[in-house]
Structures are given as structure tokens and as C-alpha cells.
Amino acid sequence: MSEVRIAAEPRTEFGKGGARRTRRAGKVPAVLYGHGQPPRHIALPAHDLLHAFKTDAGTNVLLTLELSGQTELALPKEVQRHPIRGSYEHVDLVLVNRGEHVSVEVALVLVGEADPDTLVDQQVTALSVKADAASLPDRIEVDITGLEAGHGITAAQLELPQGVELEADGELVVVQGLAKRTVAQMEADLGETAEGTEGTAADSAASA
């Protein structure tokens, strides 16, 4: 689990205008909530937040916020980015405690080599799991060693890290093995496509 310490400061300006001024100052507007406390509006250094999200955990990184002389543990709950520049526009953070179990989406990473005649179709790229907020996995590995066409791997078959519980449907197929198309099959498909195109052209000429 990646954990990053980051300085935060209270934010007194709200609304679109206040958010724009916060961003111009090189900071990202954020809201911190949870544990029955009223939401707190804060600002995070944009450069430090970008560095935090570049860890292996991505946006599942555990943040130790230095705020008003105290430290708070928080997890990003919702992250908004600019559609063109990709910069971070706003972050919702939820307070957590060490030992507290939280639900997050964790990326799936394929490892191993499937059967040479198998085309690997990864149908799911992340799974919902529950784990200690201070021990969230950076990723979950899916071993596709020897995977053959016609076979798949479900969520329940994955080997999860210790202390991690699956929240997604165990019958969910995350990886499917498909048969590779032969050269003859591809040539046959191309031939059918060419015949169809010639037929359409002939029909158009006849109706002209």
C-alpha cells in the first residue's frame, strides 16, 4: 500500500470563482468528509497531489494530510480531471482510520503466458474489494499461465492478498480465452467482404 504525506490548508473561498483562484495559485480544491464530521473545504498542492497519484496505487493512495497542526488519514473517493489538459480539478476525500475496512476498486494486472493458440480477452480491468484502509493492495494479479481457448477465469478464482475480501460477484468472468483465427479463416472473411462489396456496387449500377 502506498502512503504519501501531503500538506493541506483550509479553503475559505467557495464556488466556481473561488475554485478557479485556488487552481491559479497552484492548488487543487478538495472536500474532506466522513466519520460523522461536517465536510471541510481544503486545498492541496497540485504538484504534490500529482506526485501522490503517480505511485503504484494510483488514486487509491492513502494520504496523510497535515492540516491545521494535526494529521488526518484520507482516501480519494472521487477525482475530477480537466477533459483536455488532464490536470486535477477537484478531489473528494474520505476520512479513514488504520484498521478500518473500506471498499475500493483495484486494478487487475495479467501475469504469465497463455497457451500459444489462445487470444486473451481481459473483460474486467478492476475489481471491487474490501480491505484495511492502511493495507489496500496496489493491484491484483491474474495468472493466465496456460489459459486455453474456451476457458475463463472468474473473480472468485483470483488469489487475493491476505486480508483482502472480494466484494464483486464471484462468478464475474475477468479473463476469457478465445481461439486465434487462422490465416485461412481471415482470408475467407476477406473474400466474403469483397463479394459483398462487388454485389452492392453492381446493384447500385443497375438502379442508376
Side-chain angles (χ1 to χ4, degrees), residues 45-160:
H47 179 269
D48 293 348
L49 188 64
L50 177 63
H51 173 74
F53 288 163
K54 282 187 175 180
T55 64
D56 291 338
T59 55
N60 280 339
V61 61
L62 182 64
L63 299 176
T64 299
L65 302 177
E66 297 176 346
L67 179 62
S68 301
Q70 298 181 331
T71 58
E72 307 263 19
L73 285 178
L75 280 172
K77 193 67 175 179
E78 184 175 346
V79 179
Q80 298 177 14
R81 303 187 69 170
H82 191 280
I84 298 176
R85 295 193 297 269
S87 56
Y88 294 102
E89 296 280 282
H90 188 275
V91 181
D92 283 350
L93 301 168
V94 60
L95 288 166
V96 296
N97 292 320
R98 297 186 190 277
E100 177 183 354
H101 279 60
V102 296
S103 299
V104 293
E105 292 278 324
V106 178
L108 299 180
V109 178
L110 304 185
V111 296
E113 295 290 337
D115 184 273
D117 295 325
T118 300
L119 182 65
V120 178
D121 178 21
Q122 183 174 359
Q123 300 184 5
V124 179
T125 58
L127 276 184
S128 176
V129 300
K130 178 177 278 190
D132 185 330
S135 302
L136 297 177
D138 294 334
R139 64 181 192 171
I140 295 173
E141 294 186 348
V142 183
D143 189 355
I144 60 170
T145 301
L147 180 66
E148 297 179 344
H151 295 267
I153 300 173
T154 65
Q157 292 175 307
L158 299 179
E159 185 175 345
L160 301 179

